[in-house]
Amino acid sequence: DIFPQGPGHTLVIPKVAATNLLTMPPEALGPYMAGVQKVAHAVQKAFQAEGLTVLQFNGAAGGQTVFHLHFHLIPRQEGVGLIGHGQAGKASEEDLISHQAAILAAF
C-alpha cells in the first residue's frame, strides 16, 4: 500500500475483475482467498509479526475508497497502534522496494 497503516502493509488484488467481495464470482473466490492466505503467511514471516490485521471494505458506506476488490494485510506487534485508514503519509519508493523484497524472500 502506498499509504501504509504500518510497515509491511500489503494489498492482495485478484486477477478477476470485481468491485468488492460481494461481486466476486463464487468460482473465483476460493482460489483468490487461498492466495490471500499464502501472501498473509509470507507477510507475517517477513515482518516477524505477532499478528495480522486483515481488512476488506465493501461499498462507500463500508469504507471502500478504491472500487476494486482487494484485501489489506497489515503486520502487527503487540502494543503498537495502527495508523488510521487513509491517514498515513505516502511510503517512500525505497521502503516499498525493501518491503517487497522481504515478502518475496519469505515465500
Side-chain angles (χ1 to χ4, degrees), residues 3 16 18 23 27 32 42-43 45 47 52 57 59 63 70 72 74 79-80 83-85 88 91 94 100-101:
F3 295 100
V16 174
T23 64
E27 63 276 5
Y32 171 57
V43 167
K45 180 179 177 184
F47 291 89
L52 285 174
F57 303 93
H70 59 286
H72 297 256
I74 308 167
V80 178
I83 299 168
H85 179 64
E94 294 80 21
Q100 177 189 33

Side-chain angles (χ1 to χ4, degrees), residues 22-67:
L22 303 176
T23 64
M24 180 74 155
E27 63 276 5
L29 192 56
Y32 171 57
M33 291 308 298
V36 170
Q37 184 184 49
K38 182 177 179 179
V39 175
H41 282 294
V43 167
Q44 187 166 18
K45 180 179 177 184
F47 291 89
Q48 301 175 354
E50 296 172 327
L52 285 174
T53 294
V54 179
L55 300 168
Q56 193 279 314
F57 303 93
N58 290 278
Q64 189 175 11
T65 57
V66 177
F67 293 92

